[in-house]
Amino acid sequence: MNKALLVIHLLNLSLIGMLPAVFFRKDGRFNLMWWITASPFLVCAISLLAAFFGHLDPLTGRDSLWASVSEIASAPFAVASIALMFFTLGTHRIPISLWHQENDAPRHIVTYGAYSRIRHPFYASFLMALLGALIFLPNPATLLAFICGLLILNFTAAREERLLRASEFGSEYQAYMRRTGRFWPRRPSAPPENGFESASR
């Protein structure tokens, strides 16, 4: 196992774990949904450490060519995840809400910086971290962590979008949704012939 890449993946997962304590507002609590959302990242980190200490074997041979290729292929995902996380942090002028607060009302809509192409850049960076760890160490634990993370973050993003559409920023947010993707940038559409968007779009 490539120790340098292992450190990068663990650092990535650690940064995700530190976000609530360091950056998010402190007026909320870690409720059950927060712990459910955090669990894939904990499972992923534990499985990487368990494999390093010999308690969990990857699905492929540790010394095989495939293992070396998959470890190297995982690096761009971890690096991109960390870069997107810091880019998103830099986009915010004020700390944002802790995840899953029931009484959290939006104060404004952020549509610039990391949010200019995707609506949930934090979640996208989290998914890249899980995918990178799965490619680095393909085993049932990292696969389960990725699948659970994808389902939970998609559910959470959809819930947040429903709340934002129902808020005072609803019309602005719906227009924003039409031009951005949830976790992946939407393919830009061709500009209208007259230079103005049609009212039906």
Side-chain angles (χ1 to χ4, degrees):
M1 178 181 290
N2 186 310
K3 293 178 184 177
L5 288 173
L6 173 65
V7 168
I8 291 172
H9 286 290
L10 289 174
L11 173 64
N12 193 4
L13 294 167
S14 298
L15 288 170
I16 293 169
M18 289 188 301
L19 280 176
V22 174
F23 181 73
F24 292 93
R25 291 200 325 254
K26 307 297 190 295
D27 53 355
R29 290 181 297 180
F30 297 141
N31 61 21
L32 177 62
M33 192 59 196
W34 186 91
W35 286 107
I36 290 171
T37 304
S39 62
F41 304 96
L42 293 171
V43 167
C44 193
I46 290 168
S47 67
L48 292 177
L49 288 170
F52 176 73
F53 289 110
H55 301 298
L56 182 68
D57 289 327
L59 296 176
T60 58
R62 204 174 281 192
D63 297 323
S64 70
L65 176 63
W66 168 249
S68 298
V69 169
S70 69
E71 286 178 356
I72 293 168
S74 73
F77 291 94
V79 172
S81 172
I82 293 169
L84 181 56
M85 209 180 316
F86 279 102
F87 181 39
T88 307
L89 284 170
T91 299
H92 288 278
R93 297 186 181 125
I94 60 170
I96 58 177
S97 305
L98 188 63
W99 306 328
H100 311 298
Q101 292 180 27
E102 293 298 329
N103 60 350
D104 182 43
R107 298 178 181 182
H108 55 88
I109 302 291
V110 180
T111 59
Y112 51 86
Y115 293 85
S116 62
R117 300 293 304 277
I118 53 177
R119 298 190 295 275
H120 303 277
F122 272 127
Y123 296 168
S125 72
F126 300 168
L127 290 172
M128 280 193 282
L130 291 173
L131 180 58
L134 172 60
I135 294 169
F136 177 74
L137 184 77
N139 65 39
T142 54
L143 177 62
L144 180 65
F146 175 72
I147 292 170
C148 289
L150 179 61
L151 293 173
I152 291 166
L153 290 174
N154 195 55
F155 170 81
T156 302
R159 178 182 174 275
E160 290 173 2
E161 290 170 359
R162 279 195 306 273
L163 292 173
L164 284 163
R165 286 196 312 267
S167 74
E168 62 181 300
F169 305 103
S171 59
E172 180 187 349
Y173 194 76
Q174 287 186 29
Y176 171 65
M177 286 180 72
R178 285 192 291 272
R179 65 180 186 268
T180 57
R182 181 173 282 170
F183 301 130
W184 187 257
R186 198 178 282 249
R187 196 179 78 179
S189 56
E193 291 179 14
N194 61 3
F196 296 99
E197 286 196 20
S198 165
S200 63
R201 290 184 69 185

